[in-house]
Amino acid sequence: MIPLLFGGEERSLAGMYTPAGGGGTGRAVVVCPPLGQEMLRAHRTLRILAERLAGTGHDVLRFDYYGTGESAGDGHEVTLAGCVDDAREAVDEIRDLTGAHRVSLVGFRLGALVAARAAAHPRVDRLVLCDPVLDGPAYLSRLGDDAKVVQVEGRGLWVRGFPLPEGLRRELEEARVPPAPLPTDRTLAVTVVDPVARVGEVERVDGAPYWIEGEGISVGAVPVPLVSRVVEWHG
C-alpha cells in the first residue's frame, strides 16, 4: 500500500494506492467510503477489499473525502456534491497513476450514493453499491434516533463525534434514489441487510452490518461474503 496526496493545494485529498499483483488486468478500482462514524467502522472491510482486488490484478485507490480522514479541510465543510467531485478526482488520479482505461467505482453506504453520482465520469464503466443509502430522509431519521446525536452551540449537530453540516443535511433530505448512469449488467448492488429501497436488483449476502461497532470490538465485522462477491464480480 502506497500513501499519496492528490487533488491540488486548495483541495488536497489523502489516498492509499494498492498496486495490482501479477501482470494486472488494465482495470482500476476507486473505493468510496462511508461518512462519519461508519467510515471508521468499515475501514478494515475497505482495506481487505482493496487487498483482495489487487491480488486478482486490479489497481485500487482508497481515499478520504475533503474534510474527512487524512485529507485537508474541516468536517463542517463536507457536502455530498463535494464528495462526488472528490470521487471523480480519484478516478483521474488512478488513471494517471496506472494508465487504466477502465475504472470501477465501489461505494459503501453514503459512499454508494457518492459513487452512483460520480459514475457519470466518462472513464467509469462499472459501479458497485454496497449497502447503499438509497433514502436520504430515512437515513437522517435513523440518525435522529441515535442517542449520541448532540447539538453543540455554535457548531451545529454532531453524530457520534462527527459533525453533520447543515449543507450536507439539506442535500440528504432530497436524496431518495441515486441515479442509474450505467446499464444494469455493469452495476452490482449488494447488501448484508434487507435494503430500505431497491435500485435495480439488490443482492442479499450473509453477514453482519460492518459499519457499526461489533460486539466487544470498536470496529465492524468484515463481511467476507460481500467482499468475495465484489471481487468475483470484477473477474
Side-chain angles (χ1 to χ4, degrees), residues 119-205:
H121 190 292
R123 290 299 182 184
V124 173
D125 72 336
R126 285 193 181 185
L127 175 65
V128 179
L129 309 175
C130 297
D131 291 284
V133 172
L134 303 175
D135 188 318
Y139 177 80
L140 289 171
S141 177
R142 287 192 293 274
L143 288 184
D145 294 336
D146 193 322
K148 294 189 178 180
V149 175
V150 297
Q151 177 82 40
V152 179
E153 186 175 355
R155 303 199 70 191
L157 285 177
W158 287 68
V159 183
R160 293 183 175 267
F162 289 83
L164 178 61
E166 179 61 21
L168 176 60
R169 187 187 64 77
R170 287 197 301 267
E171 288 175 307
L172 290 175
E173 284 180 342
E174 300 178 0
R176 283 180 167 77
V177 179
L182 300 178
T184 55
D185 63 343
R186 288 191 278 146
T187 301
L188 171 68
V190 61
T191 181
V192 298
V193 297
D194 292 330
V196 174
R198 289 189 173 273
V199 51
E201 188 64 32
V202 181
E203 292 186 21
R204 173 75 159 82
V205 297

Side-chain angles (χ1 to χ4, degrees), residues 31-43 46 63-65 68 83 106-112 114 130-131 133 139 210-211:
V31 179
C32 299
L35 284 169
Q37 191 71 221
E38 292 185 356
M39 177 184 67
L40 296 182
R41 304 305 185 209
H43 178 268
L46 273 58
F63 72 100
D64 296 330
Y65 309 112
T68 74
C83 291
V106 180
F108 290 78
R109 301 291 291 150
L110 277 176
V114 170
C130 297
D131 291 284
V133 172
Y139 177 80
Y210 47 88
W211 59 89

Side-chain angles (χ1 to χ4, degrees), residues 73-89:
D74 183 88
H76 294 281
E77 300 176 89
V78 176
T79 65
L80 187 58
C83 291
V84 172
D85 289 342
D86 295 342
R88 291 171 176 156
E89 188 71 35

